[in-house]
Amino acid sequence: MTPHRLPDINALLHIPHLRIQNANAISGPHSWGHPGPTAFTGLMTALRRKLGPELDLDMVGVGIINHHYQAQTNGDYVQRFNLSRNPLNKDGSTAAIVEEGHIHLELSLVFGLALGNTLSGASQAELDQLATRIQQTLHTLRVAGGSILPGRSRLQPRLKHLPESTEEQQGQFRQLRRWLMPGYALLARDDLLPAPAQPGEAADGSRLDAWLDQCRLNHYPVADEQGQVSWQHSRQQGQGWIVPLPVGYGALTPLYPPGSVAHCRDETTPVRFVESLYSLGEWLSPHRLTDYRQLLWYPSHDASSGVYRCHNDYHLTRAAEPAILGELA
Amino acid sequence: MEQAPPRSQALQQLIAAFIGSRLNDKLDKLSPDDPKRSELNAQYQPHNWLADAARRVSQLQLVTHPQKSTHPDARGSSLFAPPDSLPSRLEIGTHCLSDFASDVVGNAAALDVYKFLKLEYQGQTLLQMLQADDADLLQALHHDNTVASQWRAAFCSITEPAGGPASHVLAKQIYWPVSPDDFPADANDDSHYHLLSILNSSALSHWLYGRIQEHRFGDAAKAARQAKRDGNNHPHGYHDYPQLAEEKKGGTKPQNISQLNSERRGSNYLLASLPPHWDSTEIRPLYQLDNTFRRFGKRQPVRTLLREFGDFLSHLKPEHNNIHIRQRRERYLAELFDELLQFGAAYSNSLSPGWTDHPDCLLPLAQQCWLDPYRAEQDADFKQQFECQDWPQQLATDFAYWLNRHLEGKGLQLAEAEFDYWRRELAQDAGWQSQLDRLQQGVPA
């Protein structure tokens, strides 16, 4: 399996403060809350198609920053989704309740673009125009099933060429990330999962427990030398805001040729039955990021393992923790 | 008739006992002179019952991924994809299960056939033995080998979907970009997609449900929670699932979804992946206030952090200074800085520039520069102060002073060294410093 890396980009598009009403809060069969990265790479694909084939650019990756949310749930120990009474069936009987979860979101998105030859020489004024056009197109789409409401931010969308030198890129990114606050960026933490068992080793059932261990608060007692007990929980250890994250899908069947599976959305695309796959993510304050590669999510397909998933290079590119102690300012 | 081997006889008895007990359950509900009794007696003769079961088994399917778990009216294929049939993957999914519960979908009236196939003999289910073509079991089913083979084929078909593969308009189907070569897929080329029909893993849902129930209501968890309330020690502690959600599938008829769903009374646990909550509704101009940090300290996450930090520090003795303690202290400080920068950005990004230029604004200049930097765009006097004054250093001092005083209030004696340490930390924090650098280099467009 080859490790995935963000494909080359040469421009960044910042869409500030989208307000989204009633996005789907059930992000996967075993998770709820914020829509996962697939909802946003899917949005990116839909947006690119809507912009039309004449436009000379590829949309490669998308960064997700949450500013605020309001989950439509109730309950104390266990959250329950606020249910809606749906329209009657054709024969006038009441429709069965199928639970849906909703959440209102305030987000900023950052798209990584690969501009083609004609656009890569465009002036900033032309780019500003393009940014406005893309934002207007985006407003006609749905985000994770939710509708986009008029924003109340005074920020404008910005499209900027990526500078050549790494230093300038980082300078540009520092400027960008200030606009992403207050908020939290969603990043991949695949590195916190134990590696799967190699062929010949025992089955890796314990990986599930290791995954679940990161998705909860663990409370445990700590005794000092006098035997005095105080209780702590895992988030106090400063490991960051780690959450379960549906990252994509794994094949359950071979790929069926187009038209051979009944009742599909079309007869011309190959079809496969899949299940959701999970990994771990982290919500991090944007000022801790140093590089656009740490922010962007991009889709991939691995034919050998039958995995369709989103990647993010945060854990591959983040700098080692800066040493703070023992130095003078 | 040739004598069957003892293993076969034992299997025959097992089957007969199973059928017999089902018959007795039925008979118990009838009055002694009910004419239906003789009818039932005939129906529950082992050969008759087995022949009927072999016919009815087609109404059931053994699955790991029931289609109806997506929507009760979805009518596409359900799949039997046990963990060992899936390739090893880096992610978490059904393939990670070492032991799994099979699910059953189909006509609930035929579930007795599934119970029959789940009967265990010497650690193996009858279904597993049938799949392995166990000769003794075949003989126990029927003395005629042809009939037994037919029944075997019928029972083994329980893992196969009826009809060809099908999705459904209520099933989830998504397009995934797949490039025919190494380049990123072309969104506008219709041939660059696979259509994915998404099924839920009820095997994984069931595992998750079992684990969480145990952690919420199990005896070990209860004992650990009690120990915490009493302030006692405990060998391993307990687990909490913050913001755990419960979804009910199938409404009043969870059996309509699947057998395992029915066993959980429709309950499906969902783990929360929500971000930290940054409440920006309270962001309005800070007037009649001479120190921002007082407002900062009232924020709920900051209060929690300060409390935990204070607890941590008050348990430390002066000689405690190992790497773990230092790291933990740094992490608390880093989290406080995160909060501080979020707080500052909330004011500078959400409010109209120039909000500090108001007679009611009593904030010191350093805090005005921090919370309203874009005022420099429109206010020449302010711009000069902004660019020339050493306000970041002043701000760091204010922050360190505030934090010091706050933690002293918790009964901590903090030395001058500690005060310096914090000021230095703040001035040196990477995010903080670069943000201030940017601000001082001039206001971004």
Side-chain angles (χ1 to χ4, degrees):
Chain A
M1 241 176 288
T2 49
H4 293 272
R5 287 278 178 163
L6 179 73
D8 287 343
I9 64 166
N10 56 17
L12 286 174
L13 168 65
H14 172 210
I15 305 277
H17 275 269
L18 289 166
R19 281 205 298 153
I20 298 151
Q21 194 172 40
N22 284 330
N24 182 7
I26 301 184
S27 53
H30 321 294
S31 62
W32 82 280
H34 205 277
T38 55
F40 296 95
T41 57
L43 172 72
M44 178 169 77
T45 306
L47 176 60
R48 181 63 199 88
R49 283 176 75 87
K50 193 128 192 193
L51 288 169
E54 308 79 35
L55 193 63
D56 182 27
L57 63 83
D58 282 330
M59 305 190 89
V60 174
V62 55
I64 306 150
I65 297 92
N66 180 281
H67 301 295
H68 186 64
Y69 64 86
Q70 210 181 341
Q72 306 298 296
T73 59
N74 61 81
D76 297 325
Y77 294 107
V78 172
Q79 299 296 303
R80 292 179 201 284
F81 299 107
N82 297 350
L83 300 181
S84 55
R85 176 43 84 188
N86 292 322
L88 299 178
N89 291 329
K90 273 183 224 156
D91 60 359
S93 61
T94 50
I97 290 180
V98 179
E99 289 201 15
E100 294 172 52
H102 290 141
I103 185 168
H104 304 330
L105 301 168
E106 269 186 58
L107 300 172
S108 285
L109 298 176
V110 176
F111 292 99
L113 309 182
L115 304 180
N117 289 335
T118 49
L119 274 178
S120 48
S123 69
Q124 187 56 50
E126 288 168 312
L127 292 186
D128 287 344
Q129 228 174 2
L130 182 58
T132 308
R133 179 182 158 198
I134 296 178
Q135 188 190 40
Q136 281 165 355
T137 311
L138 182 66
H139 280 208
T140 65
L141 298 173
R142 289 189 163 241
V143 180
S147 331
I148 300 181
L149 302 182
R152 46 186 169 196
S153 167
R154 53 187 189 83
L155 302 179
Q156 294 299 309
R158 283 151 203 273
L159 208 178
K160 297 262 187 196
H161 291 299
L162 208 60
E164 291 280 323
S165 79
T166 312
E167 203 174 309
E168 280 177 282
Q169 284 179 9
Q170 291 181 346
Q172 184 190 56
F173 187 73
R174 273 201 299 274
Q175 201 169 335
L176 168 66
R177 69 189 185 188
R178 295 191 43 237
W179 297 110
L180 306 179
M181 292 173 70
Y184 295 90
L186 182 60
L187 311 163
R189 291 305 304 272
D190 302 292
D191 55 316
L192 296 178
L193 282 181
Q198 297 301 308
E201 285 178 21
D204 53 11
S206 60
R207 289 184 78 217
L208 273 173
D209 279 308
W211 171 71
L212 193 57
D213 189 60
Q214 305 263 10
C215 302
R216 63 189 177 207
L217 287 183
N218 298 310
H219 299 260
Y220 51 89
V222 183
D224 64 15
E225 286 145 13
Q226 280 89 49
Q228 211 185 3
V229 173
S230 62
W231 282 69
Q232 295 181 2
H233 60 77
S234 42
R235 225 160 237 170
Q236 277 172 284
Q237 298 307 299
Q239 300 297 333
W241 196 277
I242 307 298
V243 293
L245 199 64
V247 290
Y249 306 95
L252 301 170
T253 62
L255 189 65
Y256 290 104
S260 60
V261 178
H263 310 304
C264 283
R265 285 170 70 169
D266 75 51
E267 302 266 288
T268 54
T269 310
V271 183
R272 208 166 210 185
F273 289 93
V274 297
E275 66 168 8
S276 288
L277 295 180
Y278 277 85
S279 184
L280 293 167
E282 177 170 359
W283 290 102
L284 190 73
S285 179
H287 78 277
R288 302 250 164 228
L289 302 178
T290 54
D291 187 320
Y292 65 88
R293 289 179 195 85
Q294 298 173 337
L295 187 60
L296 299 181
W297 288 87
Y298 54 96
S300 81
H301 163 51
D302 187 324
S304 64
S305 58
V307 171
Y308 302 79
R309 68 162 287 187
C310 290
H311 291 272
N312 163 263
D313 295 349
Y314 170 67
H315 60 280
L316 301 175
T317 55
R318 82 188 160 129
E321 295 282 320
I324 303 176
L325 268 162
E327 295 167 34
L328 282 169
Chain B
M1 198 172 102
E2 173 187 347
Q3 186 67 31
R7 188 161 170 277
S8 185
Q9 280 179 4
L11 282 163
Q12 209 164 11
Q13 277 163 16
L14 178 75
I15 295 168
F18 171 77
I19 298 172
S21 84
R22 297 198 67 81
L23 172 64
N24 287 336
D25 288 352
K26 294 260 179 190
L27 291 178
D28 283 351
K29 291 185 192 125
L30 299 176
S31 61
D33 51 354
D34 196 303
K36 272 194 179 155
R37 293 183 82 90
S38 59
E39 201 181 309
L40 276 173
N41 274 320
Q43 203 182 326
Y44 278 80
Q45 284 306 306
H47 280 179
N48 294 345
W49 188 89
L50 285 169
D52 186 46
R55 186 182 56 77
R56 288 185 301 139
V57 73
S58 65
Q59 298 168 12
L60 291 180
Q61 190 194 343
L62 196 65
V63 300
T64 51
H65 295 78
Q67 179 69 267
K68 280 179 191 291
S69 156
T70 316
H71 192 290
D73 296 331
R75 271 183 286 277
S77 307
S78 298
L79 292 182
F80 184 70
D84 56 13
S85 75
L86 299 168
S88 169
R89 288 165 180 159
L90 299 171
E91 297 78 16
I92 295 297
T94 306
H95 59 277
C96 295
L97 287 167
S98 46
D99 186 24
F100 74 102
S102 291
D103 207 348
V104 182
V105 295
N107 186 352
L111 274 177
D112 53 334
V113 183
Y114 177 60
K115 292 204 178 103
F116 162 73
L117 290 172
K118 273 214 307 194
L119 284 180
E120 280 195 24
Y121 181 75
Q122 292 177 342
Q124 277 200 304
T125 65
L126 294 192
L127 180 61
Q128 285 168 329
M129 294 168 71
L130 284 170
Q131 284 168 334
D133 209 358
D134 187 291
D136 288 339
L137 178 56
L138 286 185
Q139 199 177 354
L141 286 182
H142 203 282
H143 51 80
D144 182 342
N145 206 14
T146 328
V147 179
S149 295
Q150 278 168 0
W151 287 355
R152 176 189 163 267
F155 287 131
C156 287
S157 73
I158 193 170
T159 63
E160 289 156 23
S167 193
H168 190 263
V169 61
L170 290 172
K172 280 191 191 225
Q173 300 179 40
I174 64 160
Y175 289 101
W176 193 272
V178 173
S179 166
D181 43 45
D182 282 343
F183 298 101
D186 178 355
N188 285 297
D189 185 335
D190 287 355
S191 72
H192 284 208
Y193 291 94
H194 287 177
L195 184 55
L196 306 182
S197 183
I198 305 164
L199 295 172
N200 289 349
S201 172
S202 76
L204 197 52
S205 288
H206 207 66
W207 176 87
L208 191 66
Y209 181 84
R211 273 289 192 281
I212 293 179
Q213 284 296 93
E214 188 188 315
H215 292 157
R216 293 184 70 201
F217 304 115
D219 291 339
K222 275 184 196 159
R225 283 197 173 86
Q226 190 58 47
K228 183 187 176 186
R229 272 194 293 275
D230 301 342
N232 290 336
N233 210 339
H234 189 269
H236 48 77
Y238 66 94
H239 313 298
D240 238 3
Y241 295 85
Q243 304 269 62
L244 183 72
E246 187 181 16
E247 177 195 22
K248 288 279 190 182
K249 287 180 187 280
T252 53
K253 299 195 177 58
Q255 177 65 58
N256 279 354
I257 307 291
S258 76
Q259 173 62 21
L260 288 183
N261 190 62
S262 175
E263 286 174 23
R264 296 192 302 268
R265 291 178 301 283
S267 175
N268 185 42
Y269 279 139
L270 301 173
L271 301 165
S273 42
L274 290 160
H277 200 268
W278 217 96
D279 187 1
S280 51
T281 52
E282 61 187 68
I283 300 302
R284 40 185 86 81
L286 296 167
Y287 294 151
Q288 308 295 349
L289 183 73
D290 59 7
N291 187 355
T292 325
F293 294 116
R294 282 227 295 282
R295 177 63 56 85
F296 174 68
K298 281 188 183 144
R299 291 190 65 83
Q300 190 52 54
V302 178
R303 276 160 55 180
T304 309
L305 262 174
L306 285 174
R307 195 187 61 234
E308 289 176 359
F309 194 17
D311 284 352
F312 166 71
L313 290 175
S314 61
H315 282 98
L316 287 183
K317 281 188 248 19
E319 65 270 23
H320 287 177
N321 191 25
N322 66 32
I323 180 79
H324 301 291
I325 287 170
R326 287 202 302 272
Q327 276 177 351
R328 195 142 170 238
R329 190 159 80 166
E330 277 165 41
R331 287 194 196 116
Y332 275 118
L333 282 172
E335 279 190 51
L336 271 173
F337 294 147
D338 281 6
E339 286 293 336
L340 192 65
L341 289 182
Q342 299 273 9
F343 178 84
Y347 285 92
S348 63
N349 286 347
S350 322
L351 298 178
S352 301
W355 66 269
T356 50
D357 184 17
H358 188 280
D360 287 346
C361 179
L362 311 177
L363 294 174
L365 182 71
Q367 300 188 8
Q368 290 186 26
C369 289
W370 174 41
L371 298 176
D372 190 16
Y374 306 111
R375 181 178 160 194
E377 288 171 347
Q378 58 200 37
D379 184 334
D381 291 346
F382 185 80
K383 186 166 193 270
Q384 202 180 1
Q385 311 245 38
F386 186 89
E387 285 171 3
C388 303
Q389 298 262 342
D390 188 19
W391 62 266
Q393 186 60 31
Q394 182 60 43
L395 198 58
T397 309
D398 288 354
F399 175 72
Y401 186 70
W402 168 82
L403 183 60
N404 212 24
R405 215 176 36 178
H406 204 98
L407 294 176
E408 263 177 0
K410 303 218 164 233
L412 288 161
Q413 291 303 311
L414 293 166
E416 188 71 14
E418 230 100 12
F419 176 87
D420 278 347
Y421 170 79
W422 275 321
R423 189 173 55 195
R424 193 159 32 115
E425 295 287 283
L426 179 57
Q428 207 176 299
D429 181 84
W432 173 264
Q433 193 58 53
S434 61
Q435 180 171 0
L436 297 183
D437 287 348
R438 294 305 301 181
L439 290 172
Q440 287 219 305
Q441 280 163 25
V443 181

